[in-house]
Amino acid sequence: MKTLLLLLSLIVKSNQLTLSDCGTEARRPLFSDISVQCGTTSIGLAIRICPVMYTGYNETLLILNYMMDPACRATLDESVTPPVARFNFPLNMTNACGSLFRTTSAAGTGIFSDFSNIQTVNISGVVRSMDLTTGAITYNAELKYYYSCAYPLQYLINNTQIDVSASSIAIQDNNGSFISTLRMGLFSDVNYTKPLIVPKLGIELRTDVFVEVKATNLTGQYYVLLDRCYASISALPSNSSFFNLFVSCSKDRFTTMITNGDSQSARFKFPAFRFIEQQNETVSTYYLHCITRLCEKSTCSTFKQCSKRRKRDTLDTSSEGITQTYTITSPEIVTKADSTGSKEQPLVADSQAKPVGLGVAVGILAFACLIALSVAALFYKKLRK
């Protein structure tokens, strides 16, 4: 009874929209009447209101997951054609208007085939109609609109070009992505405050490059965990040489992990290098790619355990594997291929070679002069006799 009274107190007349305004939209409901927008911070539902009115309800009688909270109620939007009832709620377990959060795991495929445990979080629920008819019978059909959003929690992030796909609107369920919340930044200082500026002639070899993969506007229940970061000569690593900075718990001896899986940003650094096959070019240009996982706070420690993930020596770089992922952009990395004046081969070695060579030459000349004097003295004695 209390629930009914609360509902009655929330019911208002549906703006001035009447069934006669609906035209051909005044019909029986269809499965395609709900649209689902799986955003990065919230989920949006849009239900065509005219079929709802045709059945005997309005937007105030559509209840999301039995929640009577005003923040979980629908609002009428007549600015679009056909008009819709809209729901919008945040992606947060504590106030997602009763939505069910369910995380599943499966073996990785394509670009993620190196990993045996890829997580996906599915967020689902239902919008139901509330029939206020009193008496023994009703002529109103019960309406149920199911929605579902699946968010993969593993992404390929590289510093090439922007190729972020917008979430498409599905009939009853949809795939969402947190990729737009993720950014890769290159910095020149340990405090990650000074962006790395790469000159045209490239940066010096062994210059420290500080890398940060950060999530912004992401629901607070997920942390950023880097599974693998590698460099490749090609912007897309298909048919390209690549070098692993780290894979799972195995890392190059010059790569330093600073923080990973402990917050909404992951950081590491590595000294600038060059690819040997580019040694005859003026500069060595390559791109950094990171396979990134979003893990729930309570499960991040599990994915840090090396035994939970497989490692392989090769990377699936097929075009199919790439197009199934997303990419974001940051500057390319350019290093000086010419070692002259670099930190790798200081000039001091050459300066020591010159005096050694000069000393040898002087010694040889002195020895020759000594022999010449000895021969001259011998001839002189013979002439005296």
Side-chain angles (χ1 to χ4, degrees):
M1 186 64 179
K2 290 182 179 179
T3 301
L4 181 59
L5 291 175
L6 177 60
L7 182 61
L8 289 172
S9 66
L10 294 174
I11 292 176
V12 293
K13 190 176 181 180
S14 179
N15 291 347
Q16 299 301 316
L17 185 68
T18 63
L19 197 57
S20 61
D21 298 325
C22 291
T24 57
E25 280 292 305
R27 54 167 174 77
R28 293 180 180 275
L30 301 173
F31 288 113
S32 58
D33 285 345
I34 182 173
S35 297
V36 182
Q37 182 69 40
C38 302
T40 57
T41 59
S42 64
I43 291 179
L45 309 177
I47 300 175
R48 294 189 179 188
I49 195 61
C50 287
V52 173
M53 295 173 61
Y54 182 86
T55 313
Y57 308 99
N58 60 34
E59 77 280 1
T60 66
L61 295 175
L62 295 178
I63 311 301
L64 176 61
N65 297 319
Y66 299 103
M67 300 294 292
M68 298 300 178
D69 189 331
C72 301
R73 303 304 302 277
T75 58
L76 183 64
D77 184 1
E78 297 183 70
S79 65
V80 296
T81 303
V84 296
R86 294 192 183 278
F87 294 87
N88 192 276
F89 52 90
L91 290 179
N92 190 307
M93 287 183 178
T94 59
N95 61 347
C97 291
S99 298
L100 176 64
F101 283 69
R102 181 167 165 263
T103 301
T104 58
S105 299
T109 59
I111 198 71
F112 304 121
S113 57
D114 285 341
F115 308 101
S116 59
N117 196 358
I118 304 299
Q119 284 190 311
T120 298
V121 59
N122 185 277
I123 305 169
S124 61
V126 60
V127 177
R128 299 172 183 266
S129 59
M130 179 68 72
D131 193 347
L132 298 182
T133 302
T134 59
I137 66 170
T138 181
Y139 293 97
N140 299 330
E142 182 182 14
L143 300 180
K144 292 181 182 180
Y145 298 93
Y146 292 93
Y147 64 89
S148 174
C149 284
Y151 291 85
L153 297 183
Q154 190 125 7
Y155 302 93
L156 170 66
I157 301 178
N158 62 43
N159 62 343
T160 54
Q161 65 184 49
I162 295 179
D163 184 20
V164 178
S165 299
S167 299
S168 60
I169 296 178
I171 295 176
Q172 291 180 323
D173 55 358
N174 199 358
N175 290 328
S177 173
F178 290 130
I179 188 67
S180 63
T181 71
L182 297 171
R183 292 289 184 271
M184 175 188 288
L186 305 179
F187 298 86
S188 60
D189 67 313
V190 69
N191 295 320
Y192 289 82
T193 58
K194 300 176 182 178
L196 178 66
I197 299 175
V198 181
K200 291 183 178 180
L201 295 179
I203 59 177
E204 295 278 355
L205 291 170
R206 300 192 181 184
T207 299
D208 280 337
V209 177
F210 296 86
V211 184
E212 179 183 58
V213 176
K214 185 177 182 179
T216 56
N217 297 321
L218 176 67
T219 175
Q221 67 201 63
Y222 297 107
Y223 283 166
V224 173
L225 176 67
L226 302 181
D227 272 322
R228 178 181 190 173
C229 285
Y230 60 99
S232 70
I233 292 177
S234 173
L236 291 178
S238 178
N239 300 322
S240 169
S241 297
F242 68 89
F243 173 72
N244 284 323
L245 295 171
F246 64 86
V247 180
S248 184
C249 300
S250 174
K251 66 181 182 67
D252 178 70
R253 62 192 180 100
F254 293 113
T255 299
T256 302
M257 299 302 301
I258 298 173
T259 179
N260 194 20
D262 301 313
S263 66
Q264 292 199 337
S265 65
R267 293 174 172 179
F268 67 96
K269 71 172 183 176
F270 67 94
F273 55 85
R274 61 185 175 90
F275 279 87
I276 293 178
E277 65 182 86
Q278 295 179 330
Q279 62 184 350
N280 294 326
E281 300 178 17
T282 304
V283 296
S284 177
T285 302
Y286 49 90
Y287 303 86
L288 188 63
H289 315 269
C290 285
I291 294 179
T292 306
R293 179 194 303 273
L294 295 178
C295 52
E296 292 181 321
K297 293 180 180 180
S298 60
T299 62
C300 281
S301 59
T302 302
F303 291 101
K304 290 183 180 181
Q305 298 175 14
C306 303
S307 59
K308 297 292 183 180
R309 290 178 282 176
R310 292 181 291 111
K311 294 177 291 182
R312 297 192 335 191
D313 294 330
T314 59
L315 175 68
D316 180 3
T317 57
S318 64
S319 58
E320 180 181 0
I322 294 297
T323 56
Q324 291 175 350
T325 63
Y326 301 86
T327 61
I328 61 177
T329 185
S330 68
E332 62 188 4
I333 299 174
V334 183
T335 59
K336 294 181 179 180
D338 184 359
S339 62
T340 301
S342 72
K343 298 177 184 177
E344 185 181 38
Q345 295 182 3
L347 294 176
V348 64
D350 293 334
S351 64
Q352 292 175 345
K354 292 179 180 178
V356 172
L358 181 60
V360 172
V362 171
I364 293 175
L365 181 61
F367 181 72
C369 291
L370 181 62
I371 293 176
L373 289 174
S374 299
V375 172
L378 182 62
F379 276 107
Y380 179 74
K381 289 181 179 181
K382 289 183 176 181
L383 289 176
R384 291 285 302 267
K385 294 179 179 179

